[in-house]
Amino acid sequence: MRTLTLLPFALSIAVASGACARQETSTIQAATKALGPTEVRSIEYSGTGKWFQFGQAPSPTLPWPAFDVSNFTASINYETPAARVQMVRIQVVEPGRARPAPVQQSPVQVVSGTYAWNMAPPPGAAPDTAPAPQPQVEAVEERTMEIWTTPHGFLKAAAANNATSQPANGGSEVSFTAGGNHRYVGRINAQSQLERVQTWIDNTVLGDTPVEITYSDYRDFGGVMFPARIVRTQGGHPVLDITVSKVTANPAVEIAVPDAVRNFTPPAVNVEMEKLADGVYYVKGGSHHSIAIDQRDHIVVVEAPQNEARSVAVIAKVKETIPNKPIRYLINTHAHFDHSGGLRTYVDEGATIVTHALNKPYYEQAWAAPRTINPDKLARSNKSATFETFTDKHVLTDGRRTIEVHQIAGSGHNDAFAMVYLPTEKILIEVDAYAPPAGNAPPPAVPSPFAVNLYENIQRLKLDVRQIAALHGPRVATMADLRAFIGQRSQTN
Ligand SMILES: [Zn+2]
């Protein structure tokens, strides 16, 4: 678990010194004055627009997928500091892309000091269960960034952190470092309005990830000047595009850290091995599984999900179960960040990454980015990645066991999407196309197009499947389970 040094930043705001040089001070004072005469200690703004799901692009060549936002409300207390963002959103189904019918989501995301949490039903509970605080340790960095990149927040943080400034485009560029090693750069125009903020936050795939927020169409919202349009990009694509309709200066924003969040200790990464066949292990224990395959003189692992901490724990457990062999290949199903965030650890380990051809240039570009905020093992070893790619099919063999990697063609989930088939054991490994429901849960009323497409791919390739080892979900499934899930009663295949 990484340590975030945000508290000193918060404190430094409270004891803002007059350390800025005269020019910086006057630039920041003029920009603060341009926001209106009211001293803003807290703010609430709301509007409508779009939100985009970072890290879940349907293809490595496409932007993050869009959701329509019918309500966005951010409530920020700059003094504590704390923020609550509430949204009502529903996914936009792109023309020509078969997705499950979108379901409206109403996330509530909170940060206070060094604590972050969501208000949501507990994981695995029925959706109508009462919301309760769900700790989100990994979200502190991003949500803190969201506070100090708002117009008032940026100017307060600039004043408190010895900002420097230089002339730019008839205005000035103001920059400072805060919260440990987070750099913020703001562009203030000739009218003394903050029109853009750039910063960088850590990401498992993208490293130091650029975040850019543009503010335009400043208007007088009852005595406080605030941008009527806010666009935020992250990793080069939009994550938020909001038209602001209401702003309240100095509302009461009292956000107490719930005991369940304050006393939460993230559990150690749990890895459990379940033998599926001779030399084939289901690597479980968390929300995202892997598969380890014991080849004659090496190991093949399928999937490196989540992050380096999970990869380190999985690698240790795999090597304990299959001793004295190197992990030579890591097969990656697709580039969604929750399924590719642990890949770099396997590159550091010396494994070749097997992935769809579209993903290779994407990973190469992403992994070339600087990693100064949270250097991982690969950033320190500086090894270069090797890839084996395919478009339709790729085969790995040790002379005894064959491992087939097939494209899942035509899936709405992802355009560079793979599943793995072991012909001797008749095991299919897949993720995000079909997750077997727990227990005797009934199949969905409307079959998921992702699961229907998986079934069609299995039929097209004439794969003789006995076990489906899904990398999400509680258990191994059968073809009968998959057929029932998509509402097919036929017993052929
Ligand atoms: Zn996915």
Side-chain angles (χ1 to χ4, degrees), residues 56 334 336 339 413 432:
Q56 296 287 320
H334 63 307
H336 285 173
H339 294 280
H413 188 71
D432 287 359

Side-chain angles (χ1 to χ4, degrees), residues 259-336:
D259 287 345
V261 173
R262 193 179 293 279
N263 300 329
F264 174 75
T265 307
V269 180
N270 181 39
V271 181
E272 289 163 15
M273 302 289 268
E274 179 185 328
K275 192 171 174 179
L276 294 181
D278 259 359
V280 182
Y281 300 90
Y282 208 0
V283 188
K284 301 173 75 177
S287 59
H288 292 63
H289 319 318
S290 299
I291 297 281
I293 305 168
D294 181 3
Q295 296 290 69
R296 195 170 46 80
D297 61 353
H298 65 273
I299 303 167
V300 175
V301 175
V302 182
E303 207 73 327
Q306 296 184 304
N307 51 37
E308 180 159 276
R310 176 121 204 118
S311 285
V312 165
V314 166
I315 289 169
K317 192 77 171 179
V318 165
K319 286 184 158 182
E320 180 191 310
T321 309
I322 311 170
N324 304 317
K325 291 182 186 179
I327 298 173
R328 191 169 294 165
Y329 295 102
L330 184 291
I331 302 172
N332 161 242
T333 60
H334 63 307
H336 285 173

Side-chain angles (χ1 to χ4, degrees), residues 220-405:
D220 185 342
F221 287 92
V224 58
M225 296 296 290
F226 202 79
R229 178 103 188 274
I230 299 175
V231 178
R232 186 193 307 159
T233 68
Q234 199 160 308
H237 299 295
V239 288
L240 192 68
D241 185 339
I242 294 294
T243 299
V244 176
S245 53
K246 186 173 177 223
V247 179
T248 307
N250 298 320
V253 181
E254 311 288 346
I255 300 177
V257 180
D259 287 345
V261 173
R262 193 179 293 279
N263 300 329
F264 174 75
T265 307
V269 180
N270 181 39
V271 181
E272 289 163 15
M273 302 289 268
E274 179 185 328
K275 192 171 174 179
L276 294 181
D278 259 359
V280 182
Y281 300 90
Y282 208 0
V283 188
K284 301 173 75 177
S287 59
H288 292 63
H289 319 318
S290 299
I291 297 281
I293 305 168
D294 181 3
Q295 296 290 69
R296 195 170 46 80
D297 61 353
H298 65 273
I299 303 167
V300 175
V301 175
V302 182
E303 207 73 327
Q306 296 184 304
N307 51 37
E308 180 159 276
R310 176 121 204 118
S311 285
V312 165
V314 166
I315 289 169
K317 192 77 171 179
V318 165
K319 286 184 158 182
E320 180 191 310
T321 309
I322 311 170
N324 304 317
K325 291 182 186 179
I327 298 173
R328 191 169 294 165
Y329 295 102
L330 184 291
I331 302 172
N332 161 242
T333 60
H334 63 307
H336 285 173
F337 287 5
D338 60 322
H339 294 280
S340 57
L343 280 173
R344 285 171 53 92
T345 320
Y346 286 85
V347 175
D348 180 68
E349 185 69 22
T352 292
I353 305 299
V354 179
T355 192
H356 189 282
L358 275 179
N359 294 323
K360 181 187 172 196
Y362 181 76
Y363 291 137
E364 284 179 329
Q365 190 186 357
W367 296 349
R371 280 177 193 256
T372 61
I373 300 168
N374 183 28
D376 60 5
K377 287 164 78 83
L378 187 59
R380 294 192 292 270
S381 73
N382 206 24
K383 291 180 187 169
S384 50
T386 56
F387 290 89
E388 286 186 15
T389 65
F390 61 92
T391 49
D392 298 325
K393 181 182 180 182
H394 190 73
V395 175
L396 299 175
T397 180
D398 64 352
R400 295 190 306 212
R401 189 202 322 268
T402 299
I403 301 170
E404 297 179 8
V405 187

